[in-house]
Amino acid sequence: MADVSHSRGDISAHPDVHEMRARYARMLGSRDVALVDGPVFLLGLYCAASPWILHYTRSQPAIATHNLIMGIAFGLLALGFTIVPERMYGLSWAMCAMGAWMIISPWIVGTAPDTGVAVNSIVIGALGVVLGTLCAGAAVRSNPPA
C-alpha cells in the first residue's frame, strides 16, 4: 500500500523560497504594520459590541445588526492583516471604504438616529478611515514598485 501521508517538510528546497522570505521581510520589516493590526481588531470588537455598550439595540435594531456585522468584518480584516499580511494589505483601502460607510450609515440604515448613535458611528468610521489609510501606507512602503 502506498504511503499517502503528507508530512510537513522543510521549505528550504522550494524554488521561490528566497523571494518569499524577502517579500515577507519587506512586509513585516516596519513595525507600524504590527502597530496597526491591534487597533483595527479593537475597533472591530468595539463596533460589534457598541449597540449593547450604548444601549440602542431596542431603539435602533437595524443599526445594531449593522454594527455587529461591520464589527465582525473589521475584526476579520485585522486577523487577515496579522495572519497573511502580504496578501491582505491590498484590502486596506476596503477598510477606508468601510470607515466612510460607517460615517454615513446611521442615516441610511437607521430610522432617525439620536445624537449618541450618530456620534458613535462617526467616531468608528473616522477611526476606520484613519487606520485603513495607515495600513495602506504601510503596504505601499513595504511593497515598492519594481
Side-chain angles (χ1 to χ4, degrees):
M1 192 168 250
D3 180 21
V4 293
S5 63
H6 297 285
S7 60
R8 292 198 163 238
D10 188 16
I11 193 170
S12 62
H14 193 279
D16 295 329
V17 71
H18 297 295
E19 180 185 342
M20 290 187 303
R21 286 184 179 159
R23 185 177 343 146
Y24 190 73
R26 275 195 320 267
M27 181 58 68
L28 295 180
S30 60
R31 292 311 307 160
D32 57 351
V33 170
L35 292 175
V36 173
D37 297 345
V40 171
F41 184 76
L42 291 175
L43 178 69
L45 187 65
Y46 174 74
C47 182
S50 65
W52 290 272
I53 293 172
L54 299 178
H55 305 291
Y56 60 86
T57 55
R58 290 180 193 230
S59 64
Q60 295 287 338
I63 296 178
T65 304
H66 172 267
N67 281 12
L68 177 64
I69 293 168
M70 291 297 289
I72 291 170
F74 275 122
L76 289 175
L77 276 176
L79 288 176
F81 292 155
T82 303
I83 295 170
V84 283
E86 66 277 0
R87 292 184 183 173
M88 290 294 293
Y89 272 103
L91 292 176
S92 314
W93 295 111
M95 190 164 57
C96 292
M98 288 170 55
W101 169 251
M102 282 298 296
I103 291 172
I104 61 171
S105 66
W107 296 279
I108 296 172
V109 175
T111 54
D114 62 357
T115 305
V117 173
V119 168
N120 181 56
S121 290
I122 290 170
V123 168
I124 291 171
L127 287 172
V129 169
V130 168
L131 291 172
T133 304
L134 289 174
C135 285
V140 168
R141 281 191 306 276
S142 65
N143 223 357

